């Protein structure tokens, strides 16, 4: 089962990920949201749309903008909402 970890903590785990360009996109309900904090960072992909970022925080250590998601992806990438 695909699992995302950092510093020994499980960030997300699901057998229902979508792989795009080598990246696993986990369903929102598979994340341990207590390990993420919002970021103001945004980026734009021409075919996926605008990405929003999260910073991972484990035991006080921060991995800034380590996770991203597309809250409103373009049609070709609708499967990663």
């Amino acid at each position: 089962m695909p699992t995302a970890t950092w510093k020994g903590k499980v960030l997300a785990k699901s057998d229902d990920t979508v792989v795009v360009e080598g990246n696993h996109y986990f369903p929102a309900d598979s994340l341990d949201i207590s390990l993420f904090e919002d970021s103001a960072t945004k980026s734009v992909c021409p075919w996926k749309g605008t990405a929003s970022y999260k910073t991972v925080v484990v035991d006080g250590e921060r991995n800034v903008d380590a996770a991203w998601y597309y809250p409103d992806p373009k049609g070709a990438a609708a499967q990663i909402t």
Side-chain angles (χ1 to χ4, degrees):
M1 174 176 308
T3 305
T5 62
W6 190 63
K7 300 286 184 182
K9 294 283 188 175
V10 175
L11 308 175
K13 185 175 184 178
S14 177
D15 58 4
D16 190 28
T17 65
V18 176
V19 180
V20 176
E21 297 176 333
N23 296 304
H24 282 266
Y25 288 84
F26 287 83
D29 64 358
S30 71
L31 277 72
D32 180 346
I33 59 170
S34 71
L35 300 174
F36 295 87
E37 63 182 32
D38 290 333
S39 169
T41 302
K42 305 274 189 218
S43 66
V44 177
C45 171
W47 74 274
K48 289 181 280 194
T50 301
S52 295
Y53 288 76
K54 297 276 188 182
T55 292
V56 177
V57 182
V58 172
D59 296 329
E61 292 189 61
R62 299 174 79 242
N63 192 345
V64 177
D65 297 341
W68 63 92
Y69 63 101
Y70 292 85
D72 188 28
K74 292 184 176 183
Q79 74 275 22
I80 62 171
T81 299

